[in-house]
Amino acid sequence: MRRRDQSAEPAATAGLTWQFCVTLLHAPHPYMGAVAALLVVEATVVRRVAAAARYAAGCLLGVTVAVPAALYVEPGMLGLALVVFASVLLARRDFLGHHGLHLPTTALITFALVRGRHPAEVVSHLAEIAVGLAFGLACSALLCPAVRVRSAEHALDRLRTLLAHRLNGLTDAVARREQPRHVLGPAWERDLDTALTRARAAMDEAHESVRWNVRPTARRDRWHLDRRVLHTPADVERQVCAAGRLLDARPPAGGGGSRPGDAPAGDGFTQPYARLLRTTALCVHDCRGGRPHPALPAARHALARLDGPGAEPPARPADGRPLLHHLDAALSSLTTSAPAPARGPTT
């Protein structure tokens, strides 16, 4: 699906607001309405409603602060100082967010107009702002903001690809009898955490983008937002990092300068474990939409044989059991991942 031009919607919103203010309010230059319409253009309908509410609250508070000071406080310099102090203090409240900047601006403009005996212009400015906010919200429904499901899918794909790469790196580390940080680099766990955080943020944004969205795509793609889709790579990421820390603490014999007595596993364990890691990487990379990879049952069977009652040292040393536990947890997450429904062709 082609990405929409992000500049078309703000331009249309500002243009419609300007024309409406000129036609119905007889405002010759309705800049305030166009600015208000632009400032509430956000990525999702939910954010637009929140932005409009904060903007309106800031403007109303600015007028509430400025009008009494302009009418009743003398001299004018003292009234101006009180308006600035009160408006800046209120603008720092968290409930206004970055729209708190408009509170002192509106307060100063209102103070100057009321003090200069131009109350009609205050009403005109407020009417323009109200029209701008109304058109900003109306365009969010008529022009239909984008559904961010594809962004979440891409973030999940990047996370799965990175997980598969790190599992392949652990495989190389086991085969070479080295520590994972020497093969993958010292920041490999942090990279996984960053990818997982970005995937969660993309999933949250996708979930938000379908709320109050009237596009048919939003209703058709709701299943993508099932948060269980993210549980599988998140669980695998925890197990991969835990296994990597174990291998860093007690690397296989012959690598990283470890002593022979520190080996977590002998050759009868190392080679099967490396093959299981490689197969797990393949299963992780191809688990899109919750569909398990065909090699997953064979991997579970091989793991059961390696960790079964008959596996004696050196095939399964005592220090290798935690490694098998993390691998078993990762394979279990891949096995129980939620299946994906059938999808129609994407346009």
Side-chain angles (χ1 to χ4, degrees), residues 185-313:
W188 71 273
E189 289 187 57
R190 184 168 64 249
D191 293 341
L192 277 178
D193 291 337
T194 300
L196 180 59
T197 300
R198 290 176 178 172
R200 285 199 178 105
M203 182 68 77
D204 291 339
E205 185 178 30
H207 186 78
E208 183 182 275
S209 70
V210 301
R211 292 178 59 192
W212 305 341
N213 197 318
V214 298
R215 293 184 65 186
T217 307
R219 296 190 294 271
R220 185 173 64 248
D221 288 345
R222 278 185 187 275
W223 73 268
H224 283 281
L225 304 182
D226 190 339
R227 298 185 188 275
R228 290 177 297 176
V229 175
L230 186 59
H231 287 174
T232 296
D235 290 340
V236 173
E237 189 265 349
R238 285 194 297 270
Q239 304 306 327
V240 169
C241 291
R245 287 191 291 269
L246 285 175
L247 290 170
D248 270 331
R250 300 181 69 84
S258 60
R259 299 188 303 271
D262 288 343
D267 289 336
F269 175 85
T270 300
Q271 296 305 320
Y273 183 70
R275 288 195 295 269
L276 281 172
L277 285 173
R278 189 81 70 185
T279 305
T280 305
L282 180 63
C283 295
V284 168
H285 187 268
D286 292 337
C287 72
R288 293 175 179 85
R291 299 182 181 91
H293 192 273
L296 190 57
R300 297 297 306 273
H301 181 67
L303 178 64
R305 291 182 57 188
L306 188 61
D307 195 30
E312 298 294 337

Side-chain angles (χ1 to χ4, degrees), residues 1-271:
M1 183 175 61
R2 182 175 296 178
R3 187 177 180 89
R4 297 187 310 166
D5 186 0
Q6 300 297 319
S7 61
E9 187 175 348
T13 303
L16 289 172
T17 302
W18 182 284
Q19 188 60 40
F20 188 89
C21 290
V22 170
T23 303
L24 296 184
L25 300 181
H26 305 290
H29 304 291
Y31 294 105
M32 298 295 291
V35 169
L38 288 175
L39 289 176
V40 298
V41 173
E42 296 285 350
T44 66
V45 180
V46 175
R47 294 182 188 178
R48 292 182 187 211
V49 172
R54 292 189 180 108
Y55 192 104
C59 292
L60 290 177
L61 285 174
V63 172
T64 302
V65 169
V67 170
L71 294 177
Y72 302 114
V73 178
E74 295 292 346
M77 184 62 67
L78 177 59
L80 179 64
L82 289 175
V83 168
V84 172
F85 176 78
S87 61
V88 171
L89 188 64
L90 290 173
R92 294 179 179 178
R93 302 296 95 184
D94 293 336
F95 71 93
L96 291 177
H98 66 273
H99 289 286
L101 174 66
H102 307 297
L103 196 158
T105 303
T106 304
L108 288 176
I109 293 175
T110 302
F111 180 85
L113 292 175
V114 174
R115 194 80 181 180
R117 302 297 188 268
H118 301 291
E121 293 191 23
V122 176
V123 176
S124 175
H125 282 307
L126 292 179
E128 291 178 19
I129 291 174
V131 171
L133 295 179
F135 264 90
L137 292 178
C139 288
S140 69
L142 298 177
L143 300 181
C144 301
V147 178
R148 305 281 177 172
V149 173
R150 297 296 178 267
S151 300
E153 288 180 339
H154 294 329
L156 287 171
D157 284 341
R158 288 192 293 268
L159 175 60
R160 282 189 286 262
T161 301
L162 186 59
L163 274 172
H165 178 268
R166 296 300 186 255
L167 279 166
N168 285 325
L170 291 183
T171 304
D172 295 337
V174 171
R176 299 174 191 174
R177 303 175 185 274
E178 296 181 11
Q179 294 173 308
R181 63 173 175 265
H182 293 158
V183 177
L184 294 171
W188 71 273
E189 289 187 57
R190 184 168 64 249
D191 293 341
L192 277 178
D193 291 337
T194 300
L196 180 59
T197 300
R198 290 176 178 172
R200 285 199 178 105
M203 182 68 77
D204 291 339
E205 185 178 30
H207 186 78
E208 183 182 275
S209 70
V210 301
R211 292 178 59 192
W212 305 341
N213 197 318
V214 298
R215 293 184 65 186
T217 307
R219 296 190 294 271
R220 185 173 64 248
D221 288 345
R222 278 185 187 275
W223 73 268
H224 283 281
L225 304 182
D226 190 339
R227 298 185 188 275
R228 290 177 297 176
V229 175
L230 186 59
H231 287 174
T232 296
D235 290 340
V236 173
E237 189 265 349
R238 285 194 297 270
Q239 304 306 327
V240 169
C241 291
R245 287 191 291 269
L246 285 175
L247 290 170
D248 270 331
R250 300 181 69 84
S258 60
R259 299 188 303 271
D262 288 343
D267 289 336
F269 175 85
T270 300
Q271 296 305 320

